[in-house]
Amino acid sequence: MAHATSGAAAATESDFLLQAYTRLRQAVTDQTTSPANPNNILPSAATLTTSHIIPHLLSSAPPPLKTPESLSPHYYGFVTGAVLPIAEAADNLVTALDQNVQVHFPPSGPWTHSASTAVEAAALDMLVALLHLEPRAHHRHGNNDGATSVWRGKTFTTGATAANILGLACGREAVVGRRLAAAAAATGSSSTVSVSVAEAGLLEACRAAGVRGIRVLTSMGHSSLGKAASVVGLGRASVREGEGEPWRLDLDAVQRELAGAEAEGVVSIVVVSAGEVNTGRFATGLLDMPKLRSLADRYGAWIHVDGAFGLFARALPRTDEFLSLHASAAGLELADSIAADGHKLLNVPYDTGIFLCRDASILTQVCSNPNAAYLSSPGDADAILSPLNIGLENSRRFRALPVYAVLLSEGRQGIAAMLSRMVLLARAIATFVRDSEHYEWLPSADASLESTYIVVLFRATDAALNEGLVDRINSTGKMFVSGTKWDGKKAVRIAVGSWRVHVEKDAAVVREVLTAVADGR
């Protein structure tokens, strides 16, 4: 069920959180001390599936509202989300349950070793549905049946940085693996087929495949992409930025790079930035992804989407005012892997990242945790994969529960409304900046407002004021922004990411602050 935000709701927030945690904690206590659980060793299935806890909580929940790094809707620093109260309550339950989500065991009899993996799989499937990432029925990639219905490789991570590491690791595995298969077919050798990056290491696998290098092609990639390239052994120098409009992926240039790389014995990973961090703009447009998919298939490349916050544009209402954003985020379901952050626009606690991989076998090849019989899972009829075999960690929190609670509480309509408020506030701020004689709207004053997502980039027209603009704004204590650079000059970035947004009231605060700073007040 979706809840509308209001001032009255905020007033009841503390009561809700107190009652929610009391109720959740009591439910855990009841389950672990009940006659049905006399030995208090394993919780019953009902406890961890939250079949009676979360729905009961939602039945009396007020509008779900709250923030982590700031208790104000006027925190616009970096791209930081907030925490819905239902997510905070669920996160408290995560601590109370203290689950290590690593091995999936199917339920057996009245007991379950851990249903957290089932909740996690359900939450990820709900996210795939929310973001309209179901592959198109006629798209064929990686199999011969003409369609795939789910992203089989899916897991929660610490954030989009970890998800980008997984994306490049899977991409590295796949692009070298395709060359290994081609080499085996050409020579008739069966020994080459058994070689992989995961087993033999990057150098040996590339040698066996005849690969001279691995290149990462992108446009204005996030800084974490360079870190990911370093971690997986590709090196920061492997990341190549496109030319032209900085955030756009020039597909003609990509084609030239892919063709040239093939001739040089170099394989490629293409990273699509869905939501460039300074401007919030998207690397691709309405018709770009099908063309990119065709190019990747032709040259054996891997497509990874860094959609830390931009991916959630796909959950906006499909109304005229958001058509431009839907066009910018169109076709992302055609990628091989996707990274996103829940702790940004979904408004769940840190640290909650999301990684989706179309080919689960590639992900398990990279992350499989071998030679540990005590961690093996029995045959699994529902085919849920053990998280330790599809992620970076063997030990981690039950990150899925706050996500699951928010998706149940808000539903598609509530999340769409929350995202709409963020975008409309950003556009109201952009309109003020664009029309002000004191400020320069970036990247260009003639850009379309409909292209504005949740980030507003600008600088002061007065050079002296611009030098200290971030500090001047933040010293008012009425709002907080982050500083960055654009075209080599200082700039200010406002990123709207809180469910607390009230478009008219918050836009008025921003206008008042920016006007006062420009006037020297």
Side-chain angles (χ1 to χ4, degrees):
M1 53 185 172
H3 302 289
T5 58
S6 69
T12 65
E13 184 180 325
S14 297
D15 289 341
F16 165 65
L17 289 172
L18 177 61
Q19 294 170 15
Y21 186 63
T22 301
R23 186 179 299 150
L24 291 166
R25 198 63 186 84
Q26 186 60 51
V28 173
T29 301
D30 291 346
Q31 284 296 313
T32 55
T33 60
S34 71
N37 190 18
N39 297 316
N40 193 25
I41 297 174
L42 293 177
S44 69
T47 301
L48 293 181
T49 57
T50 65
S51 60
H52 70 297
I53 299 177
I54 294 294
H56 179 56
L57 175 62
L58 296 180
S59 67
S60 57
L65 316 166
K66 194 178 176 317
T67 324
E69 201 166 317
S70 144
L71 295 179
S72 165
H74 305 136
Y75 179 89
Y76 304 122
F78 311 101
V79 184
T80 301
V83 177
L84 289 156
I86 189 68
E88 182 179 339
D91 201 53
N92 285 329
L93 179 58
V94 169
T95 299
L97 292 172
D98 197 26
Q99 294 295 295
N100 180 12
V101 186
Q102 56 168 337
V103 180
H104 176 71
F105 286 88
S108 177
W111 300 99
T112 182
H113 185 276
S114 171
S116 56
T117 48
V119 172
E120 178 162 304
L124 287 163
D125 284 342
M126 293 165 73
L127 280 169
V128 167
L130 172 73
L131 298 170
H132 303 283
L133 290 171
E134 302 88 345
R136 297 175 184 178
H138 61 274
H139 174 62
R140 182 172 64 85
H141 180 66
N143 60 33
N144 294 314
D145 62 7
T148 52
S149 59
V150 293
W151 291 76
R152 284 285 297 121
K154 52 185 183 292
T155 190
F156 285 103
T157 67
T158 55
T161 297
N164 282 338
I165 289 172
L166 286 175
L168 292 194
C170 288
R172 176 196 66 183
E173 195 76 22
V175 296
V176 174
R178 288 167 191 157
R179 288 295 182 94
L180 284 166
T187 62
S189 171
S190 59
S191 61
T192 306
V193 177
S194 63
V195 178
S196 69
V197 176
E199 293 299 326
L202 185 58
L203 292 178
E204 177 58 26
C206 285
R207 185 199 65 77
V211 170
R212 299 182 60 188
I214 302 175
R215 191 170 295 163
V216 180
L217 307 176
T218 191
S219 58
M220 215 165 195
H222 189 267
S223 60
S224 66
L225 188 60
K227 177 187 283 190
S230 171
V231 170
V232 303
L234 306 184
R236 295 183 182 90
S238 71
V239 180
R240 292 198 177 185
E241 300 274 354
E243 298 179 356
E245 195 175 40
W247 60 86
R248 294 285 294 181
L249 198 61
D250 184 334
L251 296 189
D252 291 335
V254 169
Q255 183 170 5
R256 290 193 297 272
E257 287 279 358
L258 292 176
E262 183 174 58
E264 297 169 15
V266 173
V267 290
S268 302
I269 300 168
V270 182
V271 178
V272 177
S273 297
E276 188 274 318
V277 72
N278 280 297
T279 63
R281 263 53 175 194
F282 292 73
T284 54
L286 183 60
L287 302 177
D288 291 339
M289 282 301 294
K291 181 177 179 180
L292 182 60
R293 177 74 269 163
S294 178
L295 289 173
D297 290 344
R298 185 191 312 172
Y299 293 103
W302 180 272
I303 302 175
H304 174 67
V305 171
D306 180 357
F309 60 91
L311 190 66
F312 286 92
R314 295 172 66 93
L316 284 164
R318 293 183 177 273
T319 55
D320 289 350
E321 61 190 340
F322 302 122
L323 285 181
S324 178
L325 292 176
H326 277 291
S328 296
L332 298 181
E333 73 277 3
L334 301 179
D336 295 294
S337 59
I338 297 176
D341 272 325
H343 52 235
K344 288 187 170 71
L345 302 195
L346 194 58
N347 279 230
V348 296
Y350 278 92
D351 47 14
T352 308
I354 301 147
F355 180 69
L356 304 174
C357 184
R358 185 178 300 283
D359 188 341
S361 66
I362 292 289
L363 184 56
T364 54
Q365 192 166 303
V366 170
C367 297
S368 181
N369 194 79
N371 305 322
Y374 68 100
L375 294 177
S376 63
S377 172
D380 188 355
D382 57 11
I384 293 176
L385 303 175
S386 289
L388 86 166
N389 289 323
I390 54 173
L392 298 174
E393 303 149 305
N394 279 15
S395 302
R396 61 175 171 86
R397 283 170 59 83
F398 186 10
R399 297 186 184 111
L401 191 59
V403 173
Y404 183 65
V406 165
L407 293 174
L408 282 178
S409 169
E410 296 302 288
R412 185 183 297 278
Q413 182 180 354
I415 292 171
M418 177 177 70
L419 294 170
S420 297
R421 293 194 301 275
M422 296 177 193
V423 175
L424 293 178
L425 175 57
R427 289 179 178 177
I429 296 170
T431 299
F432 171 77
V433 170
R434 181 197 62 184
D435 297 341
S436 171
E437 62 179 316
H438 302 294
Y439 298 103
E440 177 188 2
W441 184 34
L442 302 171
S444 63
D446 59 353
S448 166
L449 276 175
E450 285 70 30
S451 66
T452 299
Y453 181 36
I454 56 100
V455 174
V456 181
L457 185 70
F458 64 98
R459 64 168 61 103
T461 53
D462 180 272
L465 174 60
N466 194 60
E467 281 300 304
L469 185 57
V470 171
D471 290 339
R472 290 283 302 275
I473 293 171
N474 291 341
S475 66
T476 67
K478 295 180 179 180
M479 57 185 281
F480 185 93
V481 300
S482 58
T484 185
K485 283 190 175 182
W486 190 260
D487 287 338
K489 298 178 182 178
K490 287 185 177 181
V492 174
R493 187 186 64 180
I494 286 178
V496 184
S498 172
W499 54 263
R500 289 181 179 272
V501 163
H502 185 291
V503 178
E504 293 78 13
K505 291 180 180 178
D506 295 341
V509 171
V510 174
R511 288 194 299 267
E512 190 276 327
V513 169
L514 294 184
T515 299
V517 167
D519 291 344
R521 290 187 275 122

